[in-house]
RNA sequence: GCCCAGGUGGCGAAAUCGGCAUACGCACGACACUUAAAAUGUCGAGGCCGCAAGGCCGUGCGGGUUCGAAUCCCGCCCUGGGCACCA
């Protein structure tokens, strides 16, 4: 039999299945609270059960799995759970299209995806699996909702909301950012309807200040949240309107210091005063304008700003600082949904007002000048910076910052204004007009009004029998058995709320549920959460920066205020994982560039797939799929296996170790061994740079292969070889757990490799005993030499100057300066 | 337009604190094994000039600081992402 046949005996399908079975049967990843043992809660964003896992999941979960297994080997009590974000529209769309019940569709998908995840060998505690579409889970959505309702933090209001015509439901602001639906990218419309909101704005300030605790989040994610929350400090000022019997237009401004330059007031077309202020001739025009704005005025990403258009009402308002009457305009550039829906126009110091005033010939008086005026600045030029006040009555001469304080105080004293902070963040609209979501536990009674479902009546179950036609309206409305109920208060006939909750409600607290998934008195057990929370490391895609990641922070604060937890922040450490792309764009069905993980597992095995997806780029960066790459990783595992078997065979004849080994090879391998343990551990734990950790393991395997033949002859050499092989297996264990278990077993170990301790290294043995000194002349590398480590600067200088090549180069030139850095470099300047 | 991240061989990438640029891998080439191919193994390889020794150039572009810059500073270009009338 030829040599390569002997060693080509690794059947990854069989081996992987075998160890998955062992882990499963022994409940290898089930954990309990163990006070006294350091805990580590590692979480990856749970998947939506769309049918099959995709490469994004494989990447996300492979990164997490390496860290989970590494932490286990380091002795931590690791909670690493998984579950299903199982409510949502695709299930309902499948029902409309293929006539499958959403529940059947969802549960089938989960069963399939669960088996896919098992085949990847991920170290999950399956006993804690959470499934949000089961009443055992969503009843707690309802419980939390009722608590919020009691506190006035869940409320119903008729308002303009974002409507996605394609999804036929309302969207929260976060889900309609840029004027398009987050799910299907259709332009959203504005509709006026009854809608349930959660009062996230109560927490606006804390969501912002909490960023102080999120030092281990990527900067840009915090920035996105900060921009989304959009805090701005300023003041309200009232401009009385004689034509409205002295009622006032309240404006919000961040630049009250420029108010002496306010030469007009602008209302949003939707402002409540707009109707009253336009003459009968212009009234229809205004109405048409409003309708147009509502149909689709929101800018879509990439589109230019719409041209400014204004309408002079002919009425005036009084600037309370100057006492002068200024014209009131209505214009399309003023948003009703921010501030008060009205602004003061200060054209000299605001680019938008400047543009508007120029267009309509309004005066542009300058009231703030730069502290250090540049010589080429013209008087009528726009100046938006802070400066010093001119032509501002008693405030003339003040610096902007000081003027803002004094002027706001002045307005407050006189009763026509006050300091104010506004936020861009809006309350979270959670009503969805769809079937496959958590029913909002409310009953509408003609006599008692809006009545909460009593806690004892929870859960309000999603009725199984429903018709999925795709027609307008929620399927729930057409189910009499669901809609018609008795009022819990008066017992009279009443109507059940048919809106269901946004599925982002589910994901806002699922990480608490994992701590005690079977708890049936509360959403989760306080003690279990106190032990496990917070999540020590959260990993997932950055597309949720202002969606899930802000809602989850909000819910955590709410649950804290309910007294269920002490934690205010759920995820002190968030690792934003990069996208998976192929041929330059994100993998998607519509692009037709999807790579199926199942096929890769079949062809190369889960270990090779895991290794490749981690090796090709660091976690936070984009990962470009490349067919050849996985072949390379598969080959590497083949080489490791061959190497392992060769050493195993070489070590087996017991009495053969009577000769001598090569001391150079011995030193080289021993040093590499200690260096590898150090590097792999640091790369995983400190930087999450799994790609460089893997390359270090590859280097180690290469050195092992190169030195093994020179070591097998002596007992000492064989000890080192054995130690090296064990280290190789331990280092691979977090990355390629199946092949590692297989080799570990063959090394005669009785416990699983995942129970083995991460190896330790000797820092002294990891140090290079020699240093290569680079010799530069005028900054150019000319020669190099080896010397003992930590040779003094004088020693290396002398040695460098004595090198024949250097002496030749320096002949006839004056040495002006010699820079020596220990263990590194000698630079000779001539 | 504003904000953020990035730009290094043919490709994915590395260089962790200002000190050998291109580790590790892919693709490529030569060789060995083979009747042959595949697989596997060994060796090579930034570009240009040169038989070679060696020299010059080189981390998007231009400048600067420094004995020394992929790394720090200034300006610009390009790519990706976010926000986009937020008063």
């Amino acid at each position: 039999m030829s040599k390569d046949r002997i060693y080509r005996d690794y059947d990854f399908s069989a081996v992987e299945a075998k160890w998955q079975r062992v882990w499963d049967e022994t409940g290898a990843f089930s954990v309990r609270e163990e006070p006294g043992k350091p805990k580590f809660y590692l979480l990856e964003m749970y998947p939506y059960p769309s049918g099959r896992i995709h490469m994004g999941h494989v990447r996300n979960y492979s990164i997490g799995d390496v860290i989970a297994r590494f932490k286990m080997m380091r002795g931590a009590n690791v909670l690493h759970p998984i579950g299903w974000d199982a409510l949502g529209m695709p299930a309902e769309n499948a029902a409309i299209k293929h006539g499958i019940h959403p529940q059947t569709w969802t549960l089938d998908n989960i069963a399939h995806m669960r088996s896919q995840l098992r085949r990847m060998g991920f170290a999950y505690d399956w006993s804690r699996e959470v499934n949000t579409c089961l009443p055992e889970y969503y009843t707690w959505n309802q419980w939390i909702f009722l608590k919020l309702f009691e506190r006035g933090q869940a409320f119903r209001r008729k308002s303009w909301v974002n409507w996605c015509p394609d999804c036929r439901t309302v969207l929260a602001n976060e889900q309609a950012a840029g004027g398009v639906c987050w799910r299907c990218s259709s332009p959203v419309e504005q509709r006026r309807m009854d809608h349930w909101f959660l009062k996230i704005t109560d927490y606006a300030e804390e969501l912002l200040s909490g960023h102080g605790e999120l030092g281990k989040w990527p900067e840009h994610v915090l920035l996105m949240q900060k921009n989304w929350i959009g805090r701005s400090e300023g003041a309200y000022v009232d401009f009385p309107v004689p034509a409205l019997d002295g009622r006032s237009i309240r404006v919000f401004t961040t630049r009250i210091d420029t108010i002496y330059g306010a030469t007009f007031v602008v209302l949003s077309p939707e402002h409540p005063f707009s109707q009253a202020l336009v003459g009968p001739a212009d009234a229809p025009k205004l109405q048409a304008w409003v309708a147009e704005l509502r149909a689709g005025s929101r800018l879509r990403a990439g589109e230019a700003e719409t041209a400014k258009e204004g309408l002079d009402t002919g009425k005036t308002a009084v600037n309370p600082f100057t006492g002068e009457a200024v014209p009131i305009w209505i214009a399309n550039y003023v948003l009703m949904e921010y501030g008060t829906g009205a602004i003061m126009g200060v054209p000299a110091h605001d680019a938008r007002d400047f543009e508007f005033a120029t267009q309509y010939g309004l005066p542009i008086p300058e009231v703030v000048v730069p502290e250090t005026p540049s010589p080429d600045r013209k008087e009528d030029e726009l100046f938006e910076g802070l400066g010093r006040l001119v032509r501002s009555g008693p405030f003339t001469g003040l610096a902007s910052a000081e003027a803002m304080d004094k002027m706001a105080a002045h307005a407050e004293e006189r009763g026509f204004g006050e300091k104010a902070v506004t936020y861009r963040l809006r309350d979270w609209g959670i009503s969805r007009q769809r079937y496959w979501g958590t029913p909002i536990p409310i009953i509408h009674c003609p006599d008692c009004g809006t009545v909460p479902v009593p806690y004892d009546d929870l859960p309000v179950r999603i009725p199984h029998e429903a018709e999925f036609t795709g027609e307008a309206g929620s399927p729930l409305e057409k189910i009499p058995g669901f809609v018609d109920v008795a009022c819990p208060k008066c017992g009279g006939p009443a109507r059940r709320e048919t809106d269901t909750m946004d599925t982002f409600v589910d994901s806002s607290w699922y990480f608490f549920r994992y701590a005690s998934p079977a708890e049936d008195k509360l959403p989760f057990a306080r003690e279990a959460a106190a032990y496990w929370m917070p999540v020590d490391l959260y990993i997932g895609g950055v597309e949720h920066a202002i969606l899930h990641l802000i809602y989850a922070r909000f819910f955590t604060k709410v649950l804290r205020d309910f007294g269920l937890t002490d934690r205010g922040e759920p995820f002190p450490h968030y690792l934003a994982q990069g996208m998976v792309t192929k041929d330059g764009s994100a993998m998607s069905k519509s692009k037709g560039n999807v790579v199926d993980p199942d096929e890769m597992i079949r062809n190369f095995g889960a270990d090779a797939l895991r290794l490749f997806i981690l090796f090709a780029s660091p976690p936070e960066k984009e990962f470009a799929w490349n067919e050849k790459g996985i072949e390379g990783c598969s080959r590497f595992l083949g080489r490791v296996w061959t190497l392992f078997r060769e050493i195993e065979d070489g070590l087996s004849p017991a009495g053969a170790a009577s000769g001598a080994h090569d001391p150079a090879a011995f030193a080289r391998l021993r040093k590499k061994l200690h260096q590898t343990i150090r590097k792999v551990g640091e790369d995983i734990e400190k930087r999450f740079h799994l790609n460089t950790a893997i390359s270090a393991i590859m280097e180690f395997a290469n050195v092992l292969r190169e030195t093994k033949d020179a070591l097998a002859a002596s007992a000492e050499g064989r000890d080192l070889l054995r130690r090296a092989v064990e280290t190789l297996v331990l280092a691979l264990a977090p990355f390629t757990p199946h092949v590692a278990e297989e080799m570990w077993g063959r090394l005669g170990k009785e416990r699983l490799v995942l129970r083995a301790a991460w190896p330790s290294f000797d820092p002294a043995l990891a140090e290079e005993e020699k240093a290569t000194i680079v010799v530069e002349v005028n900054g150019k590398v000319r020669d190099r030499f080896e010397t003992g480590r930590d040779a003094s600067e004088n020693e290396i200088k002398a040695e460098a100057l004595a090198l024949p090549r250097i002496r030749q180069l320096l002949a006839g030139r004056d040495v002006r300066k010699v820079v020596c850095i220990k263990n590194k470099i000698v630079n000779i300047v001539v």
Side-chain angles (χ1 to χ4, degrees):
Chain A
M1 225 197 267
S2 75
K3 187 179 154 188
D4 47 83
R5 283 199 63 84
I6 298 174
Y7 295 126
R8 210 94 51 71
D9 59 355
Y10 184 69
D11 178 350
F12 59 77
S13 303
V15 171
E16 291 180 356
K18 167 177 146 194
W19 292 106
Q20 284 158 17
R21 200 162 50 241
V22 170
W23 297 330
D24 199 28
E25 284 166 2
T26 58
F29 309 109
S30 293
V31 285
R32 289 187 312 273
E33 290 97 273
E34 288 183 59
K37 204 172 169 190
K39 68 95 184 177
F40 195 86
Y41 184 178
L42 178 69
L43 187 63
E44 301 112 42
M45 290 179 183
Y46 70 168
Y48 177 80
S50 57
R52 315 179 64 78
I53 62 168
H54 54 68
M55 281 298 172
H57 294 130
V58 171
R59 187 177 193 202
N60 190 173
Y61 302 156
S62 295
I63 294 165
D65 204 54
V66 170
I67 296 163
R69 287 173 178 271
F70 177 77
K71 289 285 180 185
M72 288 173 199
M73 292 175 79
R74 297 285 280 210
N77 192 25
V78 176
L79 173 57
H80 188 214
I82 191 75
W84 309 98
D85 184 14
L87 289 168
M89 292 196 321
E92 207 169 329
N93 293 340
I96 294 164
K97 228 171 149 183
H98 306 122
I100 313 163
H101 193 279
Q103 185 180 325
T104 312
W105 185 85
T106 304
L107 295 180
D108 286 354
N109 286 348
I110 289 174
H112 182 75
M113 291 171 74
R114 188 190 293 122
S115 77
Q116 288 185 299
L117 294 180
R118 280 179 194 270
R119 258 176 288 147
M120 284 299 298
F122 296 135
Y124 294 129
D125 181 350
W126 286 102
S127 71
R128 292 174 186 260
E129 191 176 348
V130 152
N131 179 345
T132 63
C133 76
L134 302 179
E136 291 74 23
Y137 187 85
Y138 68 69
T139 184
W140 302 110
N141 286 343
Q142 295 170 342
W143 185 93
I144 294 167
F145 178 92
L146 290 176
K147 288 276 174 202
L148 286 167
F149 183 78
E150 282 171 13
R151 298 160 70 100
Q153 289 177 318
F155 62 94
R156 188 168 184 250
R157 189 174 62 196
K158 186 159 245 165
S159 57
W160 290 99
V161 291
N162 307 296
W163 176 265
C164 173
D166 222 53
C167 300
R168 297 187 314 281
T169 189
V170 171
L171 301 171
N173 280 355
E174 291 77 16
Q175 295 155 30
V180 295
C181 172
W182 73 287
R183 190 183 284 284
C184 70
S185 300
S186 315
V188 298
E189 298 162 6
Q190 302 299 302
R191 283 201 183 180
R192 192 159 172 85
M193 53 204 288
D194 279 319
H195 193 91
W196 285 97
F197 292 91
L198 302 186
K199 229 167 171 344
I200 191 172
T201 53
D202 277 357
Y203 293 87
E205 195 58 48
E206 208 193 331
L207 286 167
L208 203 56
S209 64
H211 281 175
E213 289 169 51
L214 305 182
K216 289 182 178 172
W217 280 42
E219 199 61 48
H220 69 283
V221 176
L222 294 179
L223 200 68
M224 278 163 74
Q225 290 203 351
K226 191 176 164 207
N227 291 339
W228 187 258
I229 295 165
R231 181 184 201 273
S232 68
E233 266 179 60
Y236 291 125
V237 182
D238 298 324
F239 285 61
V241 184
L244 292 174
D245 306 323
R247 273 189 289 168
S248 295
I249 293 171
R250 169 159 276 212
V251 303
F252 176 72
T253 176
T254 55
R255 290 299 304 275
I256 195 171
D257 59 312
T258 64
I259 200 166
Y260 279 80
T263 51
F264 54 97
V265 164
V266 197
L267 301 183
S268 164
E270 295 164 88
H271 193 282
F273 291 178
S274 292
Q275 285 286 353
L277 286 170
V278 296
D282 283 328
K285 197 168 142 192
L286 177 68
Q287 246 165 355
W289 199 5
V290 169
E292 194 186 313
L293 286 173
R294 281 190 184 137
S297 73
R298 272 178 184 260
L299 286 175
R300 264 148 249 157
E303 269 181 27
E305 268 174 29
T306 37
K308 291 187 176 43
E309 249 182 276
L311 179 68
D312 187 354
T313 63
K315 309 288 194 307
T316 60
V318 179
N319 181 332
F321 275 81
T322 62
E324 279 169 32
V326 295
I328 303 171
W329 285 69
I330 296 170
N332 62 347
Y333 77 97
V334 177
L335 307 172
M336 191 58 223
E337 56 270 22
Y338 185 76
T340 60
I343 61 160
M344 62 183 200
V346 185
H349 305 292
D350 181 283
R352 297 150 302 180
D353 299 342
F354 183 82
E355 190 192 331
F356 189 73
T358 309
Q359 196 175 323
Y360 288 102
L362 295 159
I364 307 177
E366 186 183 53
V367 294
V368 175
V369 293
E371 293 279 1
T372 47
S374 66
D376 51 343
R377 212 186 91 82
K378 292 179 213 81
E379 168 114 359
D380 59 350
E381 212 169 275
L382 174 69
F383 174 61
E384 293 192 284
L386 299 181
R388 200 157 283 279
L389 272 64
V390 296
R391 290 189 278 277
S392 295
F395 304 98
T396 300
L398 293 180
S400 288
E402 194 187 350
M404 287 183 202
D405 267 353
K406 295 214 158 134
M407 293 167 94
H410 175 76
E412 204 155 345
E413 265 167 43
R414 301 293 179 89
F416 56 74
E418 60 191 299
K419 274 199 164 179
V421 176
T422 60
Y423 298 90
R424 190 181 114 117
L425 183 71
R426 303 283 84 167
D427 281 325
W428 176 12
I430 59 155
S431 284
R432 298 291 178 270
Q433 292 68 36
R434 302 293 301 238
Y435 164 85
W436 195 230
T438 306
I440 292 178
I442 288 290
I443 289 164
H444 301 287
C445 170
D447 294 325
C448 311
T450 304
V451 180
V453 172
Y455 287 97
D456 287 346
D457 293 353
L458 295 185
V460 178
R461 287 170 189 271
I462 306 169
H464 190 81
E465 301 302 331
E467 277 197 63
F468 305 99
T469 57
E471 285 161 16
S474 166
L476 294 177
E477 290 170 9
K478 293 161 206 149
I479 307 172
F482 180 78
V483 176
D484 301 328
V485 287
C487 170
K489 255 191 188 162
C490 68
R495 198 178 157 277
R496 193 184 289 285
E497 172 66 60
T498 56
D499 280 354
T500 51
M501 295 184 203
D502 183 0
T503 54
F504 277 103
V505 169
D506 310 345
S507 53
S508 293
W509 66 279
Y510 76 109
F511 41 91
F512 277 102
R513 185 73 183 166
Y514 284 134
S516 50
E519 168 66 34
D520 59 0
K521 304 282 184 293
L522 286 170
F524 53 89
R526 279 193 190 84
E527 320 74 60
Y531 177 83
W532 289 113
M533 287 296 286
V535 174
D536 293 281
L537 179 63
Y538 196 37
I539 310 173
V542 77
E543 65 273 15
H544 289 295
I546 54 167
L547 292 161
H548 163 60
L549 288 171
I550 214 161
Y551 296 143
R553 294 184 58 222
F554 162 49
F555 258 52
T556 300
K557 293 171 198 309
V558 162
L559 294 167
R560 177 202 59 198
D561 291 349
F562 291 174
L564 291 174
T565 176
D566 294 334
R567 297 281 161 189
E569 290 292 344
F571 315 128
H573 194 168
Y574 165 53
L575 177 62
Q577 157 224 342
M579 268 198 314
V580 177
T581 63
K582 183 167 181 271
D583 311 323
S585 52
M587 279 191 188
S588 70
K589 269 187 210 149
S590 59
K591 288 251 166 51
N593 60 351
V594 177
V595 177
D596 180 18
D598 272 349
E599 194 187 324
M600 294 301 134
I601 295 174
R602 240 188 340 269
N603 294 343
F604 302 100
D607 282 337
L609 177 56
R610 293 166 59 118
L611 193 68
F612 172 55
I613 209 159
L614 297 171
F615 176 60
S617 57
E620 68 276 9
K621 254 178 113 163
E622 175 184 307
F623 165 79
W625 182 265
N626 156 319
E627 191 68 28
K628 293 288 181 194
I630 190 168
E631 289 175 25
C633 285
S634 166
R635 258 198 311 263
F636 168 72
L637 291 178
R639 280 199 297 271
V640 167
W641 182 254
T642 304
L643 176 66
F644 173 81
R645 295 297 311 277
E646 282 170 1
I647 295 175
E648 194 185 27
D649 284 0
L651 291 178
S652 54
S658 52
H661 62 256
D662 171 13
F666 187 91
R668 182 168 173 231
L669 179 59
R670 188 176 62 180
K671 185 173 70 191
K672 194 70 180 174
L673 181 140
H674 289 272
Q675 287 174 338
T676 302
I677 297 168
R678 177 174 65 187
K679 173 144 181 76
V680 174
E682 283 178 1
D683 280 353
I684 296 174
E685 201 157 30
K686 295 193 182 149
R687 305 199 303 163
F688 308 115
H689 278 205
L690 309 181
N691 56 330
T692 53
I694 293 167
S695 71
I697 297 172
M698 288 174 168
E699 285 183 47
F700 180 49
N702 290 344
V703 171
L704 179 53
R705 187 173 49 229
E706 283 161 29
T707 54
K708 70 175 167 45
D709 291 339
L711 296 172
S714 78
E716 234 187 323
R718 295 167 61 120
D719 277 352
L720 179 62
L721 277 180
R722 172 161 270 274
R723 171 106 200 270
V725 169
E726 287 183 10
T727 301
L728 180 63
V729 173
L730 290 167
L732 280 170
F735 298 91
T736 55
H738 309 89
V739 69
E741 288 291 7
E742 183 68 13
M743 292 191 289
W744 197 244
R746 292 183 79 123
L747 284 169
K749 309 289 183 183
E750 284 179 15
R751 300 179 68 199
L752 295 174
V753 73
L754 65 95
R755 303 276 183 235
W758 184 255
S760 56
F761 65 95
D762 180 341
L765 292 176
E767 287 310 320
E768 296 286 344
E769 62 280 4
K770 284 193 172 162
T772 302
I773 307 294
V774 174
V775 186
E776 294 181 347
V777 176
N778 285 347
K780 286 191 179 178
V781 180
R782 293 301 176 189
D783 206 351
R784 60 196 60 175
F785 64 91
E786 291 229 314
T787 184
R789 203 173 162 75
D790 292 335
S792 76
E793 287 174 11
N794 278 332
E795 282 171 294
I796 61 171
K797 178 177 170 182
E799 202 166 340
L801 288 169
L803 291 168
R805 227 179 98 61
I806 297 301
R807 288 169 61 161
Q808 205 178 6
L809 277 161
L810 294 179
R813 300 161 90 176
D814 287 340
V815 174
R816 293 219 321 257
K817 188 175 176 184
V818 181
V819 180
C820 299
I821 306 292
K822 229 163 79 170
N823 296 329
K824 287 200 169 139
I825 205 161
V826 175
N827 190 7
I828 302 159
V829 186
V830 298

